[in-house]
Amino acid sequence: MNVSEWAVLLGGAALIGWINWYFFLAERSAPSAEESREG
Amino acid sequence: MAMNVAEASGREIQDAVGVVSSGKVTIPVSGMTCAACSSRVQRALEKTPGVSSASVNLMLENAVVQYDATAITPERLVERIRETGYDAELPSAERTAFEEQETQDRAQETEFRALRLKAIVSLIAAAIGMIISMPVMSALAMAAHGDHASGPADPFMRWSMEVIDPVLARVFPWLYSVDHRVLLGVLLVTTVGVMAWAGRHFYTRAWSAFRHHSADMNTLVAVGTGAAFLFSLIATFFPGFFIARGVTPDVYYEAVLFIIGLILVGNMFEARAKRQTSAALRSLANLQPKTARVLRGDAEVEVPVEEVVHGDVILVRPGERIPVDGEVVSGASAVDESMLTGESLPVEKSMGDSVIGGTINRTGAFRFRATTLGADSVLSQIVKLMRDAQGSRAPIQRLADRVTGVFVPVVLSLAVLTFVVWYIAVDNTAPLIPAFAAAVAVLIIACPCAMGLAVPTAVMVSTGKGAQLGVLIKGGEALQRARDVNVVVLDKTGTVTEGRPAVTDVVLAQNTSWSEQEFLRIAASLEASSEHPLADAIVRSANDRGIALTAAEGFASVTGQGATGVVDGHALAIGNPKLMAEWAIPITPLQQTAEQLAEKGRTPMYVAIDGALVGLIAVADPIKQTSRDAIRRLHKLGLQVVMLTGDNRRTAEAVAREAGIDQVVADVLPEGKVAEVKRLQDAGRVVAMVGDGINDAPALAQADVGIAIGTGTDIAMEASDITLMRGDLNGVASAIKLSRRTMRTMKQNLFWAFIYNVAGIPVAAGALFPAFGILLSPILASAAMAFSSVSVVTNSLRLRSARIG
């Protein structure tokens, strides 16, 4: 594997991780913050 | 069974703990395109403080919210929905179900027209874009490789280059002499125009979903087309970057145009199909006439139906539709109620009878007094019941909800994975292009819409079909439960039988000089003074035969025995053997006949005139003409049929024998009916209870499926899951058959929606490439995606022509 392939592999893994964090994990913590903001 | 939340609407609910200020509001929501959209709005509402429950319906495009009025206002709920990226507005107060339906119809029509225009324009732009792309790609391949043969990586465009390009070069040779940079500019401007106008909502909704950590179909379309557009933009402005690496700087403008166009075509067909699923509801709402001819003073005045007030006298001529509910005050006619009850024969109406707004007057003219109006009218209530039913969720929907909830982020991850695998695995100097095409195809082919539409469309079409058959189904849950029923418990009186005793036999003793006519006249004349139901049956029988009665003298009712008195100078005694014994009248000559009649479930009454036994009159609650056939149909469906009754065993068994019922439970009180239903349930049976909905209400509620038999005028059937508009047991078989058919359709829909994604995504990712060299173009992926939703809706629409009745 050359440098660009390593870059794509690592970048892809990071992006998949971020997608799953953003839509599944960050989503769960968001409403509690929202609720506390709204009272 | 759930409490009737509609009753709590907008009112203060006082409970045992104290006063809780609770409200319920139905908010129209527009812009939702798939299950992920509706679940996003639902989640947002459920997370809002003060909201106790929320149900968002994709098909009806509304949100039904129950909330604590001290904590939140309906205006804030609307704002909350808008924050999720969809449009919402508060419904105006006091709207009838018709007005709500009309508003929804208008909104759906507008949506359909807008989608059609956008789809047509996008597809025309895509076709032009494809034509322009040919010389552009030729020129770019020439620049990168020094020949025209190195076609684009996209398989669809490569095919186009091979097949269409030579034809195009002959038809429009001038196009190939235009500088390809000018053509690229035209493509860019066209694509930006289509994305900004026709496809704008994909991007705005995707962004709004993203901000709320959510993703839906719009996300996939936006990311797919957005990535293709950005890639093309770089290739347009920095072609040298690609050419220096020996790669053709392919542009995907035409793919973006085609994807937007084809997905809009899919949305357009979906919008039309959604309209068709509510066709039954619309035709019910359309039954309401716009005007009524009201008697004001001595004049007939034609007024809008909204201006009719309680107590107005309305005139109806033959062939006209009855404008509102009411009671006939003069005249007589036959009224066609088939549109509401499914009953094919016209119903005779005369003074005192009730008529229903929306039904058609067939033969004579009559006048009637308006009784229930507006939102309380029978038709309005049926439309409301249907709208609620169509908006309800079937439990099987949860499966689809669970999948769509995680679907889009998983697809986004798969698209990234596809890109990485292609980039690393392709033994090519230019892995970027095929990796990119495959990733975009994965984004575009994934279709959460089909999964979201699988269950609600079937519920909508099925409840509409039920209404046409005179079977009002409360919703998806009732439909699903009815499928599993294996025992049908029937109440006897009013359900299996007419519920109104009638004279079945008139038997004269041998050697009597009385004629049957005269015998019945004198007996009925005496019974006319009685209020007993059996006496009423004799009087009705005489009236039906046109026999004129005379007044009785010295009438006396003997409790538990019968009645005595004098008619036309003859001393009469009508009653059971006890009464005859008291009068010392021997009953032997007719005793055997009386016993035979009792065996058949009839009640024989001896009639003695002037101290001699003259004859017998037998009265029974006759079995409805349709009951026997209906019970045969239930047996054919593999169901066990049980009859419950408060009557004695002999009468009950006689009725059961005649109707063909398997099992009888006699001498039961209303609470005993509940116990019997419970006993069957404890034995593992799934029970449908059929009753008239009044004294059977507890048993209807206890049963897995409560089926109330109505007559069209009585639709206060809140305790039941299914209401039969016609007093005919055939509706029970129809309801169960319809539910089985609907569940089959739902399962087919879910199966195809899942299979489509399970098979489509790997093909788009290039799973077939190593073995067969097959790679899916993003353009074909968008066509397949559009097709998947349409095929699911079309499968549901097949229920409309199912043979159920």
Side-chain angles (χ1 to χ4, degrees), chain B residues 691-779:
Chain B
D692 61 14
I694 303 159
N695 60 350
D696 299 316
L700 287 174
Q702 172 65 39
D704 298 284
V705 180
I707 303 177
I709 286 207
T711 54
T713 50
D714 180 14
I715 61 149
M717 305 282 178
E718 298 291 351
S720 65
D721 299 301
I722 295 172
T723 300
L724 308 181
M725 295 296 291
R726 203 171 5 157
D728 174 352
L729 279 178
N730 272 304
V732 179
S734 299
I736 291 172
K737 211 168 157 187
L738 181 63
S739 81
R740 289 182 181 178
R741 185 82 169 71
T742 308
M743 288 308 294
R744 203 161 69 224
T745 303
M746 284 181 191
K747 285 183 178 169
Q748 285 166 352
N749 285 352
L750 283 174
F751 174 80
W752 286 114
F754 278 110
I755 282 293
Y756 165 81
N757 283 296
V758 166
I761 293 174
V763 172
L768 298 179
F769 187 76
F772 306 102
I774 296 173
L775 196 58
L776 199 63
S777 157
I779 296 174

Side-chain angles (χ1 to χ4, degrees), chain B residues 361-530:
Chain B
N361 177 29
R362 287 286 177 214
T363 50
F366 65 89
R367 293 176 177 195
F368 72 97
R369 181 168 282 111
T371 51
T372 46
L373 300 160
D376 296 329
S377 71
V378 171
L379 191 57
S380 182
Q381 285 188 50
I382 293 175
V383 171
K384 186 180 178 314
L385 206 71
M386 290 251 321
R387 280 176 60 83
D388 290 348
Q390 299 201 329
S392 68
R393 296 163 83 80
I396 197 172
Q397 173 81 43
R398 281 183 215 123
L399 173 68
D401 287 348
R402 271 205 294 273
V403 176
T404 49
V406 297
F407 185 80
V408 177
V410 168
V411 170
L412 290 171
S413 305
L414 284 175
V416 176
L417 187 68
T418 302
F419 182 89
V420 173
V421 170
W422 267 92
Y423 192 89
I424 294 170
V426 169
D427 186 20
N428 189 331
T429 49
L432 185 66
I433 309 246
F436 180 75
V440 171
V442 168
L443 289 172
I444 298 301
I445 203 165
C447 184
C449 333
M451 274 184 277
L453 292 168
V455 176
T457 50
V459 170
M460 284 192 78
V461 179
S462 172
T463 46
K465 174 85 183 172
Q468 284 172 347
L469 298 168
V471 178
L472 294 183
I473 301 165
K474 274 238 181 105
E477 201 175 335
L479 255 177
Q480 190 165 340
R481 276 205 307 259
R483 191 272 314 256
D484 300 323
V485 163
N486 44 34
V487 178
V488 176
V489 177
L490 306 170
D491 167 51
K492 182 183 89 67
T493 312
T495 303
V496 179
T497 65
E498 296 283 1
R500 201 176 179 200
V503 171
T504 54
D505 306 81
V506 176
V507 183
L508 290 171
Q510 279 180 344
N511 306 325
T512 180
S513 59
W514 288 85
S515 68
E516 188 175 313
Q517 182 93 351
E518 193 54 17
F519 171 69
L520 193 59
R521 185 188 70 81
I522 206 160
S525 297
L526 177 71
E527 296 287 25
S529 305
S530 170

Side-chain angles (χ1 to χ4, degrees), chain B residues 9 48 60 120 123 183 188 242 275 282 404 466 475 478 482 490 528 548 585 687 708 710 713 757:
Chain B
S9 178
T48 306
L60 289 177
I120 291 171
L123 285 180
L183 295 177
L188 174 60
F242 295 87
R275 261 179 70 75
R282 206 162 27 253
T404 49
L490 306 170
I585 297 164
V687 180
T713 50
N757 283 296

